[in-house]
Amino acid sequence: MNKIYMKKFAVVAAVIQHENKILCVQRASSKYDYISFKYEFPGGKIELGETLEEAIVREVEEELCMHIIVDSYLMTVNHDYPDFSISLNTFLCYSQNKSLQLVEHIDYQWLTADELITLDWAAADLPIVNELIKND
């Protein structure tokens, strides 16, 4: 009997805060239309030998040319998309300023927690949005 195994990825995400605003970034077009142009918290895959904190600092530096300070663990979201599954390890982070450069994303917004719900989020990021709104 053949079983189909979905690809599973362990990834990290940064909820980057600066002056009571949270950074939201918009994905570019993707081979998966269900995540194309959706907003997300920046992050990415963990490389071999990296801690979760090291991975999030590296990913944000690569994708946004931004230096962040990892403050604390927020939550992990396990989500099954149609073609892959992710375990999204999320951290509260801070930045000394709002300076950034979009390398992979097509847009960004700095929003208060109660404004987050106005964006079209990737499904895996929605539980994080809800947690941030609840704790605001």
Side-chain angles (χ1 to χ4, degrees):
M1 177 153 97
N2 286 340
K3 289 186 178 181
I4 297 173
Y5 292 97
M6 192 180 314
K7 287 184 184 174
K8 294 188 180 217
F9 299 101
V11 295
V12 289
V15 175
I16 303 170
Q17 300 171 309
H18 180 75
E19 295 176 353
N20 298 318
K21 299 273 180 120
I22 298 167
L23 180 62
C24 314
V25 292
Q26 188 178 26
R27 296 180 66 95
S29 181
S30 166
K31 66 179 178 178
Y32 304 120
D33 60 349
Y34 50 83
I35 57 174
S36 290
F37 307 112
K38 299 283 189 180
Y39 277 85
E40 65 181 0
F41 296 104
K45 294 178 189 159
I46 303 156
E47 292 183 356
L48 190 62
E50 274 184 325
T51 65
L52 298 176
E53 293 87 349
E54 289 168 343
I56 197 63
V57 168
R58 176 188 51 75
E59 283 287 346
V60 170
E61 181 67 37
E62 288 174 2
E63 292 181 3
L64 300 171
C65 302
M66 179 182 231
H67 177 73
I68 59 167
I69 298 150
V70 178
D71 180 51
S72 60
Y73 169 82
L74 178 63
M75 65 190 294
T76 297
V77 175
N78 293 301
H79 186 80
D80 294 331
Y81 283 109
D83 301 284
F84 61 95
S85 176
I86 64 170
S87 180
L88 184 58
N89 302 282
T90 310
F91 290 83
L92 291 174
C93 303
Y94 294 91
S95 177
Q96 300 291 351
N97 59 62
K98 291 184 176 180
S99 174
L100 62 92
Q101 179 182 335
L102 296 176
V103 176
E104 295 182 13
H105 296 88
I106 59 171
D107 190 32
Y108 71 93
Q109 295 187 43
W110 288 96
L111 300 176
T112 60
D114 60 343
E115 294 171 323
L116 295 176
I117 203 66
T118 64
L119 299 179
D120 184 15
W121 288 92
D125 290 76
L126 275 174
I128 302 163
V129 169
N130 292 332
E131 184 71 15
L132 293 168
I133 291 168
K134 184 177 78 176
N135 291 331
D136 187 37

